[in-house]
Amino acid sequence: MKAALTRVSSASVTVDDEVVGSLSAPETGGILALVGVSREDVAPAASEKDTAEKVAKMARKIAELRILDGERSVSEAAAPVLVVSQFTLYGRTAKGRRPSWSDAAPGDVAEPLIQGIIDDLRSRGIAVETGRFGAMMKVSSVNEGPFTVLVEA
């Protein structure tokens, strides 16, 4: 499981000209979390316990990494998070001119894991907005810093 976490003052996701998720946090900042799930995360060798631990670890990283202004975490700053599924984080570009998406988990198995991260964050009292899984989305953001980190769980 991978995520690109970007510190933002605002961000939104639009699907078919409708804003489906947005955050505005000019004072505290917020996080735009682009999250991808790999085939390895859901492979037959991965137990349900291992998968649940990865979901919890990713949610914990999003909530507790001290990446907001003043070295504060989302939890400490009561900052919002916009979670957007991003299978392209597992694109391979080593050969040829077309990325390969074969390392990304299929949507039907990735979606519950992304939802698990969202549910975990919400259970911590974090305000979470989302994109729409599997949809063609337009993601807009105002990056602060700019500041982006890659996280693996």
Side-chain angles (χ1 to χ4, degrees):
M1 199 169 294
K2 274 184 202 180
L5 305 180
T6 302
R7 187 169 64 194
V8 297
S9 56
S10 63
S12 65
V13 178
T14 303
V15 176
D16 296 329
D17 296 323
E18 173 193 354
V19 175
V20 296
S22 67
L23 68 81
S24 179
E27 299 298 320
T28 62
I31 296 294
L32 170 60
L34 305 176
V35 182
V37 178
S38 75
R39 285 190 180 278
E40 185 178 293
D41 293 326
V42 294
S47 71
E48 259 186 62
K49 181 182 177 211
D50 291 340
T51 302
E53 286 174 359
K54 284 185 179 187
V55 167
K57 181 178 180 181
M58 183 59 74
R60 187 180 78 249
K61 293 256 185 201
I62 293 168
E64 297 178 7
L65 275 176
R66 299 169 74 80
I67 59 176
L68 294 176
D69 194 35
E71 294 188 15
R72 294 181 302 155
S73 69
V74 165
S75 294
E76 291 168 328
V81 177
L82 175 59
V83 176
V84 179
S85 62
Q86 187 77 31
F87 76 92
T88 61
L89 288 173
Y90 281 98
R92 279 190 286 137
T93 59
K95 294 182 181 179
R97 296 182 296 150
R98 287 196 181 119
S100 167
W101 312 118
S102 62
D103 289 346
D108 61 330
V109 292
E111 185 174 14
L113 301 183
I114 301 286
Q115 188 60 52
I117 293 167
I118 293 163
D119 293 344
D120 187 310
L121 291 169
R122 286 180 175 153
S123 75
R124 295 167 179 263
I126 295 169
V128 179
E129 293 281 323
T130 66
R132 186 172 294 154
F133 193 92
M136 178 59 76
M137 296 177 272
K138 293 181 181 178
V139 180
S140 299
S141 65
V142 178
N143 297 357
E144 292 292 323
F147 190 103
T148 300
V149 295
L150 299 176
V151 177
E152 293 194 52

